[in-house]
Amino acid sequence: MGEFGISQPVLRREDDKLLRGAGCFIDDLAPDGLAHGHVLRAPHAHARITAIDVTQANAMPGVLLVYTAADLAAAGIGAIQPVALPSPREGNEFQSREQPILAADTVQYVGDSVAFVVAETPAQAQDAAEAIIVEYEPLAAVIGCDKAGADELSFEWEMGDRSTVEEAFAAARHHVSLDLINNRVVLAAIETRGALAEYDPDGCEGRGKYTLTTTTQMPNPMREQLADQILGVAREQVRVLVHEVGGGFGGKNSLFPEYPLCLLAARQLGRAVKWIGQRGDAFVTDFHGRDNIMRAEMAFDDECHFLAIRVASQADMGAYAAGRGVVSPVNGMIMLSNCYRIPLMYAEVWARYTNTVPTDPYRGAGRPEVLFMIERMMDVAADQMKIDRVELRRRNLIPPEDFPYASPTGLNYDACDFATVIDGAMQQADWPGFEARRREAKARGRLRGIGMANYIERCGGGAGLSEAARLEIDDGGGVTVYSGSMANGQAHETAFSQILNHYFDLPFEKIRVIEGDTDIIHTGTGTGGSWSLTLGGGAISLASEQVIEKAKRIAAHLLEAAAADMEFADGQFSVAGTDLTVAWTAVVQASRDPAKLPEGEQPGLDTEARFIPDNFTYPYGCHIAEVEVDPETGAIELVAYNCLHDFGVVVNPLLLAGQVQGGLAQGIGQALMEHTAYGDDGQLLAGSFMDYHLPRAANLPDLNFLAQVTPSPQNPLGIKGCGEAGAAGSPPTVINALVDALRDYEIRHIDMPATPQRVWAAIQAADRKG
């Protein structure tokens, strides 16, 4: 194994340019003649627009144009349609509330787009937007899906057989229930969204060519949506470009109003138009994540074995059906088994519209929400049934002999060894020594608790998704890969280079990784669902094997040997059992000369491959956390965190640890700090980092991570995917630890975010009850 190949802790290729300020983010771009856009946002959560006057704005210095909904209607531009659609239960239909690019008659949330101004400078555009006179008639606002009624219903969904589950509950020895909230979170990517639009009227043989440079995770799907739904042009007339992206987490997948607005303005003005979202704007325009209210019930027999589970969930869609907003409310339910053998399941979901920022997939897309519910319920059930919480989990694990395991929800898990992972995590965390640490904390006036959560996830794209990779070989033997994936901080350039090094034994300076240009990469799924390495890497693997197999045939011809006897290693082709060799570069050069090729072989080594998986991948693991609570103030300190995961083959341990630790920080933030607080009038009360508490380094202990390696059979590289694991496993782990710390108060549950105020109030209420 070379020092730059698969499994090696290679430093990120990307970091040199980024640390020197040589990266290219969207706000770094300033083409000649650049104009600047600014969007006027609605100040009301729900209001009727009775009048809008842009006269003064149009007359202000530097203003080039002002758009309202009337201008878009005149241009034939409609609303943004969701690209993902649900499968409602029988008798129910999806009521799509499409997001207007600019609101016409009614605004539906604080931050809704009302008008768009383009001017010579950002300040002039903002000044003009503030001069637009809009008259509103405020209407009643619905804040929270539990307040929404029949008129706000987006869709209903169900899974399983209700009657058989009811029968199981009727026969159960133990019946456990819990109401819980999975709190709404703000995207808070380090780079805000942005768009740079250009239009060439002579492009595409005079039909016109739009170019959008933006921060999406999915360039090709965005091009298709812009061309097909918004602009009504052929796809080749739209180019989407993506350079460096400062974080995405799912929230940058979808199409936002500013992108078509910039494109339309660029076409009208004949100039490049740029819009950059400000941080305060991002809080009320970037799609939010999570926001579910669940009631979960579990049924157990006399031996504390699962009989059934049923879940009723309400999901807050926000004001509109975001691009993939219907995914999260139902996506996680298919993982309702988690790692347990649960014979019967029933779940139902009510997705409702409210007068808040729309919600869209956020790191895990529904799976963390369901995992939180299951793993909180396991602790509550253990307490109610007077059984050790670890023993309850062990007793209900899917045993190794049951794999491959067909879950009641229709999934087919490949081999897992949950018990071994639990054992390893407990050893890593020194679970047996915890009671001594609890006593020591009590002597200091602190309450210490320990919590566990098990985790398995459906990742890797699965059936129905695919990814392509194109390899081009230059005269010197260097390789360029064109991938339909799209990095937004995950270091694809490094990971894909390691895969290519594994196959070709090339130094990184002879490997180029190209993403994010729909003119030269015509198909691509993009990045999401932990599938970049499984799908994108799988496609690179297949393409590399094709190149090497063809090169072996050429090498065999040059050496007058049989292709079946050819071996390739360390940049050399050799005939097995002999000292006959030919260098990779010589074979590359020969591949360009028809006279040196075997009969019927086409010149060149360039190739393209598409990887289509038959099944999902199933990474799994166990998380353990310890917290200390000050009972006088409710302050919480996370003092230890350990997790052990099986992510399959590890391409780069440093990148893997970074992914896990970043996800852990996000999940811990959701569990303890991040509160997307709305007032009853729909105003976002946590609209800046002064009010919205992201975790800081001082809030986190060492985040200790160990990897167990069991190759996945679902892709050529044996990779399972890791992007969501930290964000999914940490919320239930931390809350389980917190509730354990408060066990003397008999506090059954605390909803996220478990802020000091909530913890203190729970302690005070328990004291009064006692």
Side-chain angles (χ1 to χ4, degrees):
M1 182 64 66
E3 63 176 317
F4 298 107
I6 290 174
S7 84
Q8 299 304 299
V10 178
L11 297 179
R12 289 166 38 114
R13 293 188 71 183
E14 297 84 348
D15 286 350
D16 178 68
K17 64 181 177 182
L18 295 177
L19 292 172
R20 290 187 293 104
C24 183
F25 292 88
I26 191 164
D27 205 20
D28 295 324
L29 302 172
D32 291 341
L34 179 65
H36 299 269
H38 185 89
V39 181
L40 178 65
R41 308 295 186 184
H44 300 283
H46 194 199
R48 187 172 293 110
I49 299 174
T50 59
I52 183 167
D53 186 348
V54 301
T55 305
Q56 184 177 348
N58 268 317
M60 293 185 70
V63 172
L64 300 171
L65 63 78
V66 180
Y67 285 153
T68 66
D71 299 304
L72 300 185
I77 303 298
I80 300 173
Q81 302 170 28
V83 295
L85 301 176
S87 299
R89 73 164 125 204
E90 187 175 352
N92 177 255
E93 294 184 0
F94 173 47
Q95 303 299 319
S96 180
R97 187 185 287 181
E98 297 172 357
Q99 182 176 17
I101 295 173
L102 293 174
D105 304 316
T106 306
V107 295
Q108 297 283 0
Y109 69 101
V110 173
D112 217 345
S113 303
V114 177
F116 183 61
V117 179
V118 178
E120 297 288 354
T121 70
Q124 288 174 332
Q126 182 174 349
D127 288 345
E130 292 172 355
I132 296 172
I133 300 172
V134 185
E135 296 181 11
Y136 295 99
E137 178 187 331
L139 303 171
V142 176
I143 309 300
C145 56
D146 56 331
K147 307 293 196 307
D151 290 343
E152 288 77 40
L153 182 65
S154 174
F155 65 91
E156 297 178 17
W157 178 92
E158 69 177 345
M159 176 187 72
D161 188 296
R162 182 199 298 265
S163 61
T164 57
V165 169
E166 288 177 346
E167 291 171 2
F169 270 85
R173 176 66 177 85
H174 302 283
H175 178 186
V176 183
S177 64
L178 181 67
D179 295 309
L180 39 75
I181 293 172
N182 204 283
N183 49 316
R184 176 183 285 238
V185 293
V186 169
L187 175 64
I190 193 170
E191 181 195 22
T192 59
R193 290 186 300 106
L196 171 65
E198 298 166 279
Y199 182 75
D200 177 8
D202 299 321
C204 288
E205 301 178 340
R207 292 178 293 156
K209 181 68 173 275
Y210 297 89
T211 299
L212 175 70
T213 305
T214 188
T215 55
T216 183
Q217 299 169 223
M218 297 181 172
N220 279 285
M222 181 165 287
R223 177 196 64 164
E224 294 163 9
Q225 189 176 11
L226 282 166
D228 299 351
Q229 290 187 7
I230 304 298
L231 301 172
V233 298
R235 291 179 180 178
E236 62 265 24
Q237 290 178 257
V238 178
R239 181 187 191 188
V240 174
L241 279 172
V242 184
H243 301 294
E244 266 83 39
V245 179
F249 315 120
K252 291 181 179 176
N253 289 346
S254 294
L255 183 64
F256 287 84
E258 299 87 3
Y259 308 164
L261 286 170
C262 287
L263 289 169
L264 294 171
R267 184 183 67 183
Q268 180 174 334
L269 296 173
R271 296 173 58 175
V273 176
K274 182 165 72 173
W275 168 85
I276 299 295
Q278 301 303 303
R279 183 60 64 183
D281 202 45
F283 269 87
V284 293
T285 63
D286 291 1
F287 295 150
H288 292 173
R290 314 290 193 236
D291 206 346
N292 306 87
I293 299 173
M294 293 186 181
R295 179 170 180 78
E297 299 172 277
M298 290 178 170
F300 297 87
D301 66 14
D302 291 340
E303 300 298 321
C304 299
H305 291 117
F306 267 116
L307 294 176
I309 184 172
R310 60 186 174 199
V311 181
S313 176
Q314 296 186 71
D316 195 327
M317 298 279 288
Y320 302 111
R324 293 164 180 82
V326 304
V327 171
S328 294
V330 302
N331 187 48
M333 293 299 176
I334 201 167
M335 295 303 301
L336 201 52
S337 293
N338 197 20
C339 56
Y340 306 114
R341 186 160 52 183
I342 307 176
L344 297 170
M345 302 177 183
Y346 179 74
E348 51 190 341
V349 174
W350 294 267
R352 304 183 190 279
Y353 296 114
T354 63
N355 297 115
T356 59
V357 176
T359 56
D360 216 25
Y362 172 85
R363 201 161 193 169
R367 298 182 293 276
E369 292 91 313
V370 170
L371 180 72
F372 177 74
M373 175 270 296
I374 294 170
E375 288 299 307
R376 277 297 299 126
M377 281 289 289
M378 292 302 286
D379 268 27
V380 170
D383 181 67
Q384 181 173 318
M385 295 188 294
K386 308 303 181 188
I387 182 175
D388 179 78
R389 51 193 161 152
V390 179
E391 172 58 25
L392 179 64
R393 287 174 167 86
R394 290 187 188 279
R395 194 171 295 188
N396 286 282
L397 292 176
I398 304 166
E401 61 270 18
D402 279 12
F403 292 96
Y405 177 74
S407 81
T409 62
L411 296 178
N412 187 24
Y413 294 6
D414 50 51
C416 301
D417 189 349
F418 300 120
T420 298
V421 167
I422 292 174
D423 291 342
M426 292 179 71
Q427 180 180 355
Q428 179 191 14
D430 185 23
W431 187 283
F434 172 73
E435 288 304 325
R437 297 192 293 276
R438 192 198 295 270
R439 289 191 297 270
E440 186 277 332
K442 188 173 183 179
R444 293 184 283 105
R446 295 294 185 265
L447 307 174
R448 190 161 181 136
I450 190 167
M452 170 189 286
N454 292 323
Y455 157 92
I456 184 171
E457 189 177 10
R458 176 193 68 168
C459 291
L465 289 180
S466 66
E467 189 58 88
R470 186 170 82 253
L471 300 187
E472 292 182 357
I473 316 301
D474 63 36
D475 290 340
V479 177
T480 299
V481 58
Y482 298 87
S483 173
S485 298
M486 186 64 241
N488 48 97
Q490 302 94 334
H492 286 187
E493 186 179 4
T494 303
F496 289 169
S497 294
Q498 288 184 255
I499 295 171
L500 290 167
N501 174 273
H502 169 78
Y503 281 100
F504 297 101
D505 196 36
L506 292 170
F508 280 4
E509 56 265 27
K510 300 199 75 171
I511 297 172
R512 295 175 65 228
V513 178
I514 307 295
E515 296 180 318
D517 185 344
T518 62
D519 265 11
I520 59 176
I521 304 168
H522 303 298
T523 66
T525 305
T527 293
S530 296
W531 65 55
S532 288
L533 276 185
T534 53
L535 290 182
I540 292 171
S541 176
L542 294 180
S544 298
E545 290 173 354
Q546 289 176 10
V547 170
I548 290 170
E549 286 305 308
K550 182 175 182 179
K552 282 182 177 180
R553 296 195 298 270
I554 297 171
H557 182 70
L558 296 174
L559 297 173
E560 298 181 349
D565 294 333
M566 298 306 301
E567 297 175 346
F568 179 61
D570 301 324
Q572 297 278 338
F573 292 91
S574 61
V575 181
T578 77
D579 59 358
L580 296 175
T581 65
V582 61
W584 160 252
T585 51
V587 173
V588 170
Q589 292 162 7
S591 75
R592 286 158 161 71
D593 184 352
K596 295 181 178 180
L597 296 179
E599 184 177 353
E601 200 76 71
Q602 295 298 311
L605 291 173
D606 297 352
T607 192
E608 183 170 350
R610 178 171 295 277
F611 175 57
I612 306 173
D614 295 325
N615 191 9
F616 298 97
T617 61
Y618 296 95
Y620 62 97
C622 179
H623 293 225
I624 296 174
E626 294 183 37
V627 303
E628 287 189 1
V629 177
D630 181 350
E632 299 299 320
T633 65
I636 309 148
E637 181 183 3
L638 182 63
V639 295
Y641 203 101
N642 294 274
C643 59
L644 192 155
H645 272 276
D646 191 327
F647 291 122
V649 171
V650 176
V651 172
N652 184 318
L654 297 179
L655 300 184
L656 175 60
Q659 282 286 302
V660 173
Q661 290 166 352
L664 289 174
Q666 285 182 285
I668 291 165
Q670 182 185 9
L672 298 178
M673 305 158 201
E674 299 185 40
H675 188 196
T676 311
Y678 274 96
D680 292 339
D681 60 355
Q683 296 294 329
L684 181 60
L685 304 179
S688 76
F689 289 136
M690 294 293 289
D691 304 297
Y692 189 86
H693 185 184
L694 285 179
R696 298 170 172 84
N699 301 126
L700 303 174
D702 288 340
L703 302 173
N704 300 308
F705 161 67
L706 290 178
Q708 171 182 295
V709 176
T710 307
S712 170
Q714 307 304 339
N715 59 80
L717 296 171
I719 298 166
K720 294 182 180 179
C722 68
E724 288 98 352
S730 50
T733 306
V734 170
I735 298 301
N736 283 345
L738 173 61
V739 174
D740 180 59
L742 302 175
R743 64 180 188 167
D744 290 344
Y745 294 96
E746 298 183 356
I747 294 170
R748 191 168 183 258
H749 178 67
I750 292 181
D751 275 318
M752 301 186 294
T755 60
Q757 180 183 11
R758 284 186 175 177
V759 173
W760 180 85
I763 291 172
Q764 298 305 305
D767 278 343
R768 289 192 298 271
K769 187 189 303 181

